[in-house]
Amino acid sequence: MDYKKIDDKDIEFLVSVLDKERVFTGERIHNDFSHDELGKISKMPDVVVEVLTTNEVSKIMKYAYDHRIPVVARGSGTGLVGACVAIYGGIMINMSKMNKILELDEDNLALTVEPGVLLMEISKFVEEHDLFYPPDPGEKSATIAGNINTNAGGMRAVKYGVTRDYIRGLEIVLPDGKIIEVGGKVVKNSSGYSIKDLICGSEGTLGIVTKAILKLIPLPKKVISLLIPFTNLDMAINTVQKIVKSKVVPTAIEFMQREVILAAEEYLGKKFPDNSSDAYLLLTFDGNSTQEIENSYEKVADICLEEGALDVFITDTEERKEAVWSARGAFLEAVKASTTDMDECDVVVPRNKVAEFIKYTDELQKQFHVRIRSFGHAGDGNLHVYILKDDLTKTAWEEKLSKVFEAMYSKSRELKGLVSGEHGIGFAKKHYLLEQYGSDYLELMKNIKLSIDTKNILNPGKVCQ
Amino acid sequence: MDYKKIDDKDIEFLVSVLDKERVFTGERIHNDFSHDELGKISKMPDVVVEVLTTNEVSKIMKYAYDHRIPVVARGSGTGLVGACVAIYGGIMINMSKMNKILELDEDNLALTVEPGVLLMEISKFVEEHDLFYPPDPGEKSATIAGNINTNAGGMRAVKYGVTRDYIRGLEIVLPDGKIIEVGGKVVKNSSGYSIKDLICGSEGTLGIVTKAILKLIPLPKKVISLLIPFTNLDMAINTVQKIVKSKVVPTAIEFMQREVILAAEEYLGKKFPDNSSDAYLLLTFDGNSTQEIENSYEKVADICLEEGALDVFITDTEERKEAVWSARGAFLEAVKASTTDMDECDVVVPRNKVAEFIKYTDELQKQFHVRIRSFGHAGDGNLHVYILKDDLTKTAWEEKLSKVFEAMYSKSRELKGLVSGEHGIGFAKKHYLLEQYGSDYLELMKNIKLSIDTKNILNPGKVCQ
């Protein structure tokens, strides 16, 4: 693409808007800004700028638009598909210092935040006020704008839905620098096309989120988790189906295997409450009355035992909860630390196809002699499957990776699944999005992209391009 | 706009696709097809066709696209803003015979339906299977595709959200006749721009919904309603604020006034359980345990009594429930029957601004000597305010209407509300959408429209055009 190359005059302009300390070039750019969490896609931006206000973002975008300079906005960089990598160089806007919680409106159960506020800060803040922001992706150091841009899901989607469902309003800087507000503190909205929902999940390609109004709900008074061991994963996952059909709604249903638990124990240097079985389900229930929760979890415990569960551990003490959930939160890091390199498949399949998909990844493991680890959201069909490099050469691994990915995404399509449940497409998964949707559908997305970003300067080369 | 006028060759083509009995021209077109429920916007289409399959819709759109003929898809025609009126003539596709429930998938809690299935049919069908489709707009004879296209909200939005939150997947015929599937039975989705959410609320301007996959949840085991009389509306609505802040979450919080109840009694020929007070709140609570529901409603009843409620009627018998909810369901028809003509304002304001807005409509009633009636969703800030013509002349009424509307929408903007909570923009509210958003934002919507509908043939002249 034909973009203007950054020169001294551009840097001069950026310094005039931000001052010198917030404009980084050359060796002053930290290497972190060249990649995201998974690190496979890598490219240095020409300049990194640190913004503090919406107006600064707007001025930079207007300038970039006038001069046709590519721009990428970046939060914590915890993505896994290269969405925040400046593959065409240009300006990287570091949004992470726009990190204030602006207002808690208890009358309207709404929280207004800047884009760089971290997920862990939001949950802590609102829970202190007896309120609840339900989306709960594993990566708590992601920014809220990062979560909005991937429409992150997390563990509680079974009962509460995903990030999209908790975004009431957004302030957005458009690719040409214009600032618009979409939605608001209102609960319903049928006032024109939902730009809010178009931005949500667009991975920084359509606009830059500079403010968000989040929907809160009252904090459930009681939460309890069950850790349930099974002889094998097949039995565990088949049981999920029975739970969904029983019409009990747990808050979360996670599955995990012994190998991943052992990796987490090693990584954290902490013991998991039990590691003697091959496979586990981890379920959470929440509600406002003990009776309500007990009814639910007793019914589910009975179902699990009928289906062959070896035991049912109730994790109702703070200590046990911490042991279980800190391990669950560390799975990605633990698997990563257990190998030399890895890549991830984040498909989502209909819930009754989870067992079939996981069984298939087991077959692929044997067929390709490559180590595959998985864990994820059994209750909502969103799986995180990791293909590990171990001692394979780079070439051998990349070859296997490509074949294993082809096989997995093709299986997902066969099961009427989709390419990504919550991590997005970014740069790394574009090929599989095309295979999923075909060129007509991709063309539709491209046309939407260009109708909003006419000069194609905002995070170009991502998602559908 | 420069559209091709329908001629004999076009009719010939339509007959070749559908056969003669399903192609209507001239006097064979029923007058209903010239307007929607409110009837203010009126225009006859040149031809009405009745489709039965997605392929028929696709063939018609491809032909219309090739020949640049405007097309409007229509369901039950229960809209209130002229969205389904063929203001440029052309082809009207009557979708109401594509009305089959295709599949109930209890494993994935998903219902697949054709676009013409009525809301009342969906709730009846799923409840027989102990499942629940929560969106509950007052107009039960609307089609599901109509609900999707306005992102209808309804009474249960307080607890359960709106139509958008229950759409898992759609089959869509694009303006050029291509067929795409978006979403699916999956619970999460971060696979490219959410075309599903763009279509939802787009009022038939971006694509024609030919199939929908709906999210279901288990049917709550217990439901109870409270009817709570107050001395005046102010006291009733101020109490809603206290309820929201108490962190109890009712399923619905409706407000109603004596005059509207009397109109409903007259319209239905049935008595409401109580009509002695000036204002009422109607609250619903649902859940799976008696303890849970009792805790909630007792807390709310106490709040209401503290705030000056005159009594608390528990409507726990089938007979009482029917009396209350059938009246609530008939409010719109009853108000309509009580006057010669009317028009509606469907603003949504932050929940803590409802009292202020309603008070303002009272002032307008006095200031303009025009009868104004309102009811609506106090719990989610979405108000339905009707301005009645009564014995005013057409000219006098239209003049007053325009002034009252200007005042109301301007007040809504001042309170950070939006033009429409659930009835949409269609043709009638375009002016107020522009006033709300300004031309930059409207331009953005227009560009999106034209990026998908390059020849501007699908329901042109609506929403943002």
Side-chain angles (χ1 to χ4, degrees), chain A residues 264-296:
Chain A
E265 286 187 333
E266 196 181 325
Y267 180 76
L268 293 172
K270 280 200 285 193
K271 282 280 160 211
F272 198 69
D274 182 70
N275 66 15
S276 58
S277 297
D278 264 13
Y280 293 82
L281 289 182
L282 174 59
L283 292 111
T284 308
F285 299 85
D286 65 14
N288 288 319
S289 83
T290 313
Q291 186 204 343
E292 179 195 354
I293 297 190
E294 277 179 7
N295 286 350
S296 299

Side-chain angles (χ1 to χ4, degrees), chain A residues 4 10 19 25 31 111 153 189 242 267 279 303 309 358 365 383 392 410 421:
Chain A
K4 177 183 180 305
D10 303 325
D19 80 46
T25 52
N31 182 53
L111 184 76
N189 184 1
K242 301 271 158 66
Y267 180 76
I303 292 171
I358 292 293
Q365 188 167 225
L383 308 168
L392 289 171
S410 146

Side-chain angles (χ1 to χ4, degrees), chain A residues 62-111:
Chain A
K62 188 174 181 326
Y63 183 88
Y65 179 81
D66 288 344
H67 295 81
R68 206 181 167 93
I69 299 169
V71 178
V72 178
R74 186 185 191 271
S76 297
T78 57
L80 297 167
V81 291
C84 73
V85 180
I87 58 170
Y88 291 100
I91 302 169
M92 175 166 284
I93 306 185
N94 177 5
M95 306 294 293
S96 63
K97 298 289 164 70
M98 284 181 75
N99 59 359
K100 282 180 213 52
I101 292 177
L102 298 172
E103 185 206 44
L104 173 66
D105 179 346
E106 296 197 59
D107 282 357
N108 291 298
L109 301 182
L111 184 76

Side-chain angles (χ1 to χ4, degrees), chain A residues 351-369:
Chain A
R351 286 183 276 194
N352 61 347
K353 302 296 181 192
V354 171
E356 192 174 340
F357 190 87
I358 292 293
K359 205 174 210 165
Y360 183 69
T361 66
D362 262 358
E363 286 167 23
L364 291 176
Q365 188 167 225
K366 287 171 204 144
Q367 186 187 336
F368 287 95
H369 304 288

